[in-house]
Amino acid sequence: MAYDDQNIFAKILREEIPCNKIYEDNYVLSFYDINPQKKIHALVIPKGKYIDLDDFNKNASNEEIAGLIKGISIVAKKLGISTENGKGYRALANISEDGGQEVPHLHFHIFGGEKIGKMVS
Ligand code: AMP
């Protein structure tokens, strides 16, 4: 499957539609999920055009991969829910249809601000 340039996160990256931005650097953009499932629900996405985690690990540079993984901790810290804040959170990526992925641009969900509960419901 080819990357779809018209997906909603591609449009956010091109600033064609707005987002509630939390953090940005050379590798990632982070913003609040429009339909929060927990008290804090953020998204962290790579700036490159990657459909899902498998596509990312196959085609991204080591710098991009490190940038995304580090970006998750940076965002958690900014949100006050990292272990450095004495808290914790869940980082989760849905991968393709069986994984429940709806937007075909790789993203990690960051859930926090409360006890997150069971891993899969
Ligand atoms: P997934 O099911 O893992 O693909 O998750 C897609 C997520 O994107 C959902 O949690 C949506 O609420 C969220 N979402 C969709 N459109 C937007 C948007 N314009 N801004 C922020 N989050 C969005």
Side-chain angles (χ1 to χ4, degrees):
M1 191 175 85
Y3 180 83
D4 172 15
D5 261 320
Q6 294 308 309
N7 80 73
I8 197 105
F9 295 167
K11 290 180 180 175
I12 287 174
L13 281 166
R14 291 195 297 267
E15 298 184 346
E16 291 169 12
I17 62 168
C19 69
N20 192 355
K21 193 192 289 188
I22 299 163
Y23 175 76
E24 181 173 16
D25 64 22
N26 287 339
Y27 300 106
V28 299
L29 175 66
S30 177
F31 48 92
Y32 287 100
D33 196 290
I34 205 166
N35 182 22
Q37 301 299 310
K38 293 290 173 190
K39 201 164 175 187
I40 294 175
H41 185 175
L43 298 169
V44 183
I45 72 173
K47 286 198 164 169
K49 298 177 179 183
Y50 301 105
I51 301 168
D52 56 33
L53 191 65
D54 289 349
D55 180 29
F56 186 64
N57 282 325
K58 194 170 172 193
N59 295 308
S61 68
N62 287 342
E63 287 75 20
E64 289 175 294
I65 293 170
L68 177 60
I69 295 299
K70 285 175 186 288
I72 291 169
S73 288
I74 293 168
V75 169
K77 192 174 173 187
K78 264 186 101 66
L79 292 169
I81 58 173
S82 78
T83 54
E84 285 186 55
N85 306 114
K87 301 277 170 73
Y89 59 97
R90 180 168 299 152
L92 177 151
N94 295 321
I95 297 153
S96 203
E97 196 181 337
D98 279 3
Q101 183 176 5
E102 287 175 2
V103 178
H105 181 111
L106 172 61
H107 49 282
F108 275 87
H109 296 259
I110 307 287
F111 300 108
E114 60 181 313
K115 288 266 188 259
I116 300 308
K118 280 178 66 162
M119 191 156 79
V120 179
S121 57

